[in-house]
Amino acid sequence: MTKVIIATGLLLVLGAVFGAILSFAAKVFAVEKDPKEEAILECLPGANCGGCGFPGCAGYAAAVAAGKADVNNCAAGGEGVAAQIAEIMGVAAGDSVKQVAVVHCTGCGIDHTKYNYEGVQDCLAASRLPGGGPLGCDYGCLGFGTCEKVCPFDAIHVVNGVAVVDEEKCKACSKCVDACPRHIIALEPYKTKKHVAIPCSSHAKGPVVTKVCANGCIACGICAKACPKEAITIEDFLAKIDYDKCIGCTICAQKCPRGLITVDGVVPEKKPVAPKPAAPVTPVAEEPKTEEPAKVEEAKAAEETKASKGE
């Protein structure tokens, strides 16, 4: 019994000694945090999505406090968080353009497959198979939901074989962009009155596209010719939008013969073409009738004959 008491007492003494040593070391070697960093961290949503380009919210808060990052880089927090951070840092928040992830595929090539795939339901796994997966289009969405699994905001889901983004939930964290093995998801500025998008990634020539997709871009150039701001160009057999020029007029979507271009995520109904008014008929003035040249000559000859006879 005495040994037990001695052992217990010894453990208590050792615990107290080591505790005092750790407490002293914590004070001596403590790293003081910038109070601004802690204040910024409290403002952040805690999503740790990496959309700001730093390893989590703590990394971003430290970078902002150190002056190494802008105050409006938090995709998940948006303008509200940017304003709070700007107030802490004593700077202007600046204008930030909302971005949204866009899947450049409509899924209209799902009926054109090269073989039946029964493997792991993951795009990365399917893309490693011969031909880059079962889909006939080499640039289309495989539809196995790798992007859906990595999204921390539940903003992207596979619907009818193709990934679809919920623009209200999307925070532009770019996790889906990085996860897609076919690189068909991109962040686009969502700043026009109406967001116009060309959801296709195919760089194949027109005849090839029509064989594997019902509405893929065939690079016909009609949209580019119709755009009043020259915001659309054809690059490597694919139409692309320059969002610095795009005003959201939707003329390109109306003109696209493939019904590919979307406005706010939907293909708009084409406006009926008004019939051209009939041109007014201008009455043609009748030319005065003239006698035939032969008859005129005969009459002149007859008059000359009469004059010579003195008639």
Side-chain angles (χ1 to χ4, degrees):
M1 187 66 182
T2 304
K3 291 181 179 180
V4 173
I5 294 173
I6 294 173
T8 303
L10 184 60
L11 288 174
L12 289 173
V13 171
L14 289 173
V17 171
F18 286 125
I21 294 172
L22 290 174
S23 178
F24 177 76
K27 290 181 180 180
V28 172
F29 299 106
V31 177
E32 293 185 4
K33 280 190 175 182
D34 188 336
K36 289 184 178 180
E37 179 182 336
E38 294 181 351
I40 292 170
L41 187 58
E42 290 179 3
C43 295
L44 296 174
N48 293 314
C49 62
C52 58
F54 294 90
C57 294
Y60 176 57
V64 173
K68 297 179 180 179
D70 295 330
V71 298
N72 57 0
N73 282 3
C74 180
E79 293 182 0
V81 169
Q84 294 179 44
I85 298 174
E87 186 177 352
I88 294 169
M89 295 299 295
V91 298
D95 296 329
S96 59
V97 177
K98 178 184 176 182
Q99 289 191 315
V100 65
V102 175
V103 180
H104 288 267
C105 179
T106 61
C108 287
I110 193 172
D111 295 330
H112 303 272
T113 56
K114 293 177 282 190
Y115 50 83
N116 291 327
Y117 176 74
E118 298 180 356
V120 179
Q121 297 299 295
D122 181 78
C123 299
L124 187 59
S127 67
R128 291 173 176 169
L129 294 175
L135 201 64
C137 176
D138 294 333
Y139 303 90
C141 176
L142 292 169
F144 296 119
T146 300
C147 54
E148 180 179 344
K149 295 168 188 173
V150 300
C151 180
F153 304 104
D154 192 38
I156 186 167
H157 297 278
V158 175
V159 180
N160 296 327
V162 64
V164 178
V165 176
D166 185 332
E167 295 173 351
E168 296 299 322
K169 291 183 177 180
C170 179
K171 303 299 181 183
C173 69
S174 77
K175 282 189 176 293
C176 59
V177 177
D178 297 333
C180 178
R182 288 203 161 180
H183 310 293
I184 63 171
I185 306 177
L187 297 182
E188 294 182 356
Y190 197 87
K191 68 175 184 177
T192 55
K193 294 179 181 179
K194 292 181 179 179
H195 185 66
V196 183
I198 302 177
C200 183
S201 298
S202 178
H203 291 289
K205 294 182 178 180
V208 177
V209 174
T210 55
K211 290 180 181 179
V212 295
C213 185
N215 70 342
C217 180
I218 56 174
C220 63
I222 293 176
C223 56
K225 294 175 184 176
C227 180
K229 297 296 181 180
E230 298 183 349
I232 301 180
T233 55
I234 306 298
E235 300 176 16
D236 195 12
F237 303 107
L238 179 64
K240 291 187 177 181
I241 297 176
D242 183 344
Y243 286 99
D244 290 333
K245 296 180 180 179
C246 178
I247 58 173
C249 67
T250 76
I251 293 176
C252 57
Q254 294 290 333
K255 296 291 185 180
C256 179
R258 301 281 285 172
L260 168 67
I261 303 176
T262 61
V263 179
D264 291 337
V266 179
V267 177
E269 294 184 7
K270 294 195 175 183
K271 299 176 182 177
V273 179
K276 294 182 179 180
V281 178
T282 305
V284 180
E286 294 184 2
E287 296 181 0
K289 295 181 179 180
T290 57
E291 296 183 14
E292 295 180 5
K295 292 181 179 180
V296 172
E297 293 296 330
E298 290 178 3
K300 287 182 178 180
E303 289 179 0
E304 290 176 356
T305 303
K306 290 180 181 180
S308 63
K309 291 180 179 181
E311 294 180 358

